[in-house]
Amino acid sequence: MMNKNSRRRFLRQTVTAATGLALAPGLVSCGAGNTATASSSVPARAPEKGRKLNVALLGLGSYAKGQIAPSLQFTRHCQLAGIITGSPEKIPEWQAKHDIPDENVYSYDNMDELADNPNIDVVYVITPTATHKEFAVRAAKAGKHVWCEKPMAMTVEDSQAIIDACNENNVRLSIGYRMLHEPNTQDFIALSKEKAFGAFTAATSLAGYAGSDPPTDYWRGQRAMGGGALYDMGVYTVNGLRYGLQMAPVAVVKAMQHRPTEVDVTTEYTLEFPGGLLAEGKTSVVTNYNQLRIEGENGWHEMQPMQPYGGVKGLTSAGTVLGPPIDGKQQTLQMDDDALAIMNNTPVLAPGEMGRDDIAVIRAIIESAETGKRVVL
Ligand code: NAD
């Protein structure tokens, strides 16, 4: 039950200052390469030089609380300034801990009023995957830049709707692919870009953890909400092959999903890339493995583990170690990179188009597993 005090906090006071909304000249919206829509009715605000961007977290679950909020304490270009939640009982603790004023506290019902609040620049969507589209579109329509957690959405259509909403409302969009901001992963990607070990011959991408079949009364155990290994962990394997091979797959050759209840606990797949290159992917929420390995004509380079919060380490056939591992601050780097991209009007590392294209691969893997057929992308 909501008590009087939390209800008061929950009902944010309307901010009447419409003044801060000045058009950011030439601001490019959403993913790299998309031009802002000149006729947009809700212009994004140009942040003042040297000012930190104010971020509102939408969804105060385990990732927001355990990783994103603590990481925001170390960011240099953005700061935690607001919350948007469907759980009023969480509000007092968040307000007290992060010094969040009443006027920056919203519910899912009144979050559209963000349009009137010049003190929030970015909404970071950190809710169950099936809800990303609705919340990201509403944030964009309120004129706020959008950071959206992975996996971007349930479908390509939903992902595109987020991209379109950001374009139409002249705001930027980044997907929460934290690995792209991790320095050892960036060194690994540099080796891929220069084909340090010759033409690629094969690739393997594995991401799994030894958990248990998620309960069906929790979203991670519900298919319609985006639960299961493939959406949750498999998206790292798909994205890893994209950056490891520096190209997009052309087909899912075959796939197999193990679904003891509603969602898959393990999924295996084979992707075909241009030139006939085959890559093997595997993901699980019941078995531990974590490796991204690219084979070339003259050797190999790999990340092992490839996607934990800390301890990412790389190795090559030449004996080079990519490290030392950084300790748990990928999200700080991610949010600072994304804030700088907004302030400097530069491309983001993880644009909406990348998130959308990974969802296309995920959907094709599911289709291939269900039909037993090769699915062209
Ligand atoms: P969680 O279950 O711990 O938290 C989800 C939050 O969303 C809760 O506060 C819940 O109240 C809220 N919510 C809003 N609408 C909801 C609805 N309709 N049904 C259920 N809950 C609803 O989940 P989480 O682990 O914090 O994951 C949230 C998102 O963050 C997911 O998209 C997940 O894939 C992503 N995530 C990313 C990483 C990463 O490393 N990038 C890590 C963990 C989670």
Side-chain angles (χ1 to χ4, degrees), residues 59-64 87 90 108 126-129 131-132 135 149-151 176 178 218-220 225 232 236 309:
L60 306 178
S62 56
Y63 191 56
S87 308
K90 294 179 184 170
Y108 301 141
I126 320 179
T127 48
T129 304
T131 67
H132 289 181
F135 289 136
E149 253 319 312
K150 52 55 58 180
R178 56 188 164 75
Y218 179 44
W219 73 268
R220 289 182 185 280
M225 291 301 286
D232 184 21
Y236 288 104
Y309 296 144

Side-chain angles (χ1 to χ4, degrees), residues 261-279:
T261 51
E262 206 178 305
V263 298
D264 62 306
V265 294
T266 303
T267 292
E268 295 178 45
Y269 61 84
T270 305
L271 297 187
E272 184 183 322
F273 284 79
L277 177 80
L278 296 180

